[in-house]
Amino acid sequence: MKIGVLASGSGSNLQAILDGCAAGRIPAQVAAVICNLPGAKALERAREAGVPALLLPHRQFASREDYDRELIATLQRHGVDLVCLAGFMRLITPVLLRAFENKILNIHPSLLPAFPGMHAVRQALEAGVRVSGCTVHVVDEGTDTGPILIQAAVPVLEGDTEDSLAARILKQEHRCYPRALSLWAQGRVRIEGRRVRIAGAPAGGDAAISSPGLAD
Ligand code: GRF
C-alpha cells in the first residue's frame, strides 16, 4: 500500500507514520508528502526519511478545485492508494473526494462527533468535558463528519490549558494514526454506511485505544 500524506505544519503525525512504516508496524510505504506551506517541518521530516517531499503552494491556484486537481495528479503520479491528512490546513473539495472515494483519512483532536472544526481542544475545555481524545476517520464532504475508524480517550486534568491538553492528545494521535493505517493496510477495514467494521477485532478492542490517567 502506498500512502500519500498531506500536511501543513510540524508533521509529528507524519513522523509517527514514517516511523511505523520503517519499523514494519504499518505494512505500507509513504510514497509522497505534500505540503501547501513553504517551510513546514513536515517537508524536512519527509526528506530525512528519504520520501519525496513536495511543496504545492495553494496561492498559485485560482480555485480550491484547481488546487485539488493538481493534488490528484501528484498523488496519482506517485501511485498513492490512500491519502492521509495530517494537520493539512486546507478544506478539500468534492473533486479530491471523488478521485479517492473512501480513501482519505484524517486525524482530529477530539472524540468526534464532539467538537469538529478548527478549535477542538479549546472547545473541549470550554465545555468542561472530563474526557476528550482523538479520532481517525474517513473523510467525507462534511467537516470532520466521516465514518470513525479509531479513537483514543484522553483525560482532561484540573490545571489543563489548551496547550497542555493538546499535547496530551497529540501523544495518543501518534498511536492512533499508525494503528489505523496498519489495520487498513492489512485489509481489515470495511466501511458500511456510517460505520467502519474492523475484521478480526476482538470485540472492537483494536479500535478503542486507552490512555493513562483515565479512572477505571
Ligand atoms: C493535530 O493536532 C491533528 O489532530 C490536527 O492537526 C494537528 C497536526 O499536528 N488535525 P502535526 O502537524 O501532525 O504535528
Side-chain angles (χ1 to χ4, degrees):
M1 183 173 87
K2 289 191 174 182
I3 300 170
V5 179
L6 308 188
S8 303
S10 112
S12 68
N13 277 290
L14 163 67
Q15 191 66 57
I17 294 168
L18 289 167
D19 293 347
C21 291
R25 288 189 299 274
I26 307 170
Q29 146 195 13
V30 178
V33 172
I34 307 175
C35 291
N36 62 319
L37 298 176
K41 182 145 185 235
L43 285 171
E44 213 176 287
R45 294 181 192 269
R47 271 184 227 111
E48 267 164 32
V51 167
L54 310 158
L55 174 63
L56 200 59
H58 58 269
R59 291 188 192 289
Q60 293 171 8
F61 295 84
S63 68
R64 287 187 188 281
E65 287 75 15
D66 282 354
Y67 184 72
D68 281 3
R69 275 187 272 276
E70 187 59 34
L71 276 179
I72 293 165
T74 309
L75 291 164
Q76 287 176 343
R77 203 162 55 242
H78 287 83
V80 166
D81 311 295
L82 179 71
V83 179
C84 293
L85 308 182
F88 188 58
M89 304 308 277
R90 291 282 298 165
L91 288 178
I92 63 170
T93 72
V95 172
L96 180 58
L97 283 170
R98 272 196 301 271
F100 286 89
E101 201 183 347
N102 281 340
K103 290 199 171 129
I104 306 178
L105 303 182
N106 181 41
I107 188 150
H108 182 76
S110 75
L111 290 178
L112 291 170
F115 315 124
M118 285 286 290
H119 303 292
V121 178
R122 189 190 309 163
Q123 284 171 10
L125 277 176
E126 283 169 0
V129 296
R130 296 298 186 181
V131 177
S132 191
C134 60
T135 303
V136 177
H137 65 95
V138 180
V139 176
D140 65 9
E141 313 77 42
T143 301
D144 304 319
T145 52
I148 290 170
L149 184 42
I150 279 194
Q151 293 186 304
V154 173
V156 179
L157 305 182
E158 286 304 322
D160 262 337
T161 61
E162 195 175 339
D163 284 351
S164 66
L165 179 55
R168 194 174 315 111
I169 292 173
L170 195 61
K171 273 195 194 159
Q172 297 307 314
E173 294 183 30
H174 299 160
R175 298 173 69 202
C176 283
Y177 225 157
R179 177 90 66 100
L181 293 174
S182 169
L183 292 170
W184 196 285
Q186 290 172 57
R188 290 174 58 190
V189 176
R190 206 174 61 235
I191 300 163
E192 287 179 8
R194 297 286 317 148
R195 294 190 71 180
V196 174
R197 302 284 182 187
I198 296 178
D206 275 4
I209 296 183
S210 64
S211 69
L214 285 177
D216 289 337

